[in-house]
Amino acid sequence: MKNYLKLIQNNADWAREMVGKDADFFSKREQAQTPHHLIIGCSDSRVPLELMTGALPGEMFVHRNIGNQVWETDMNILSVVQFAVDVLDVEHVIVCGHSNCGALKAAFADSAHGLIDHWLSDIRSTMRWHEDELASCATAEERLHRLSVLNVLQQVGILSRTPIILDAWKRGRRPMLHGWVYDIGSGLIERIVEQVDSAEMAAVLLPKN
Ligand code: CO
């Protein structure tokens, strides 16, 4: 219970601090949001998307799930992407993976996890497509890092093939797509792929089959 109440106390302190610095901090954000970024991150509690990028309230539209995945059948993420692109007109859509991701570790493990195995199936497909490359990694750490990179590239690739993004590009609209891997151990972002803004540029991201 104490841990939970601490959140409420922190919130009151934070709100007071923000208003202390800028009396209109909250009121000027009340009517509308104009974020320039949509970020798709992992649900992992060690990946504080706004905190690590210095994004203030109103600056970043956020979607999170286990393994920062983009599924073409997931109404949840597709709704988020469509609203961000077609209504908010964000300039950038970022897929952000991270080091030591539990989802990727679970995908490597042979053991069954129940329902979550379905959610991990796309990551396991990525592993199969890049089997040789992953097998050639010298250590388990290196293999996990490589998979985090490959997973981000795969998810940016899937995003680039959604009708939402393709239609936006056809209309000469934003956004640019980017892929990052956040390193929990250093707090720093590794830039994997940047400024993808055409189907041609995106074509190299996904396996040919
Ligand atoms: Co994760």
Side-chain angles (χ1 to χ4, degrees):
M1 191 62 185
K2 266 189 186 160
N3 286 346
Y4 161 74
L5 289 175
K6 185 77 185 140
L7 298 179
I8 304 296
Q9 183 58 51
N10 289 347
N11 168 251
D13 293 346
W14 172 73
R16 198 178 313 111
E17 189 191 331
M18 292 296 130
V19 171
K21 287 182 197 161
D22 174 2
D24 302 322
F25 185 82
F26 294 108
S27 58
K28 66 187 173 194
R29 291 172 165 82
E30 225 177 344
Q31 297 309 321
Q33 59 170 336
T34 52
H36 298 301
H37 311 94
L38 161 63
I39 191 161
I40 298 163
C42 185
S43 299
D44 194 300
S45 62
R46 299 165 297 176
V47 185
L49 298 172
E50 286 108 325
L51 202 60
M52 75 199 208
T53 54
L56 291 172
E59 292 183 346
M60 191 175 261
F61 207 58
V62 175
H63 181 85
R64 301 176 75 130
N65 62 43
I66 292 174
N68 41 270
Q69 296 188 68
V70 181
W71 279 62
E72 287 163 281
T73 50
D74 177 5
M75 288 293 286
N76 187 345
I77 195 167
L78 293 178
S79 303
V80 169
V81 172
Q82 191 190 357
F83 187 75
V85 172
D86 290 345
V87 180
L88 297 173
D89 191 25
V90 295
E91 289 168 50
H92 307 280
V93 179
I94 303 151
V95 176
C96 182
H98 67 98
S99 63
N100 267 314
C101 182
L104 304 187
K105 283 182 178 173
F108 270 122
D110 274 341
S111 55
H113 304 273
L115 175 66
I116 203 162
D117 282 312
H118 295 280
W119 187 247
L120 297 177
S121 62
D122 188 53
I123 295 173
R124 287 188 169 126
S125 297
T126 301
M127 288 169 59
R128 277 194 297 278
W129 289 324
H130 300 276
E131 207 170 7
D132 294 344
E133 188 184 344
L134 289 167
S136 71
C137 291
T139 62
E141 287 75 27
E142 202 184 301
R143 196 154 51 241
L144 186 59
H145 175 261
R146 191 62 204 150
L147 182 57
S148 66
V149 171
L150 292 169
N151 182 45
V152 161
L153 290 172
Q154 172 74 7
Q155 305 312 323
V156 173
I158 293 170
L159 197 54
S160 76
R161 289 189 186 179
T162 59
I164 303 162
I165 299 294
L166 288 173
D167 287 350
W169 284 345
K170 261 185 219 155
R171 298 196 306 266
R173 298 254 312 227
R174 316 195 274 207
M176 285 187 187
L177 310 182
H178 314 265
W180 295 346
V181 172
Y182 171 75
D183 182 56
I184 291 174
S186 69
L188 295 173
I189 291 162
E190 182 184 356
R191 296 148 68 182
I192 306 301
V193 63
E194 293 188 302
Q195 301 184 30
V196 176
D197 64 356
S198 69
E200 294 71 33
M201 268 186 88
V204 296
L205 297 172
L206 286 173
K208 291 271 183 290
N209 54 12

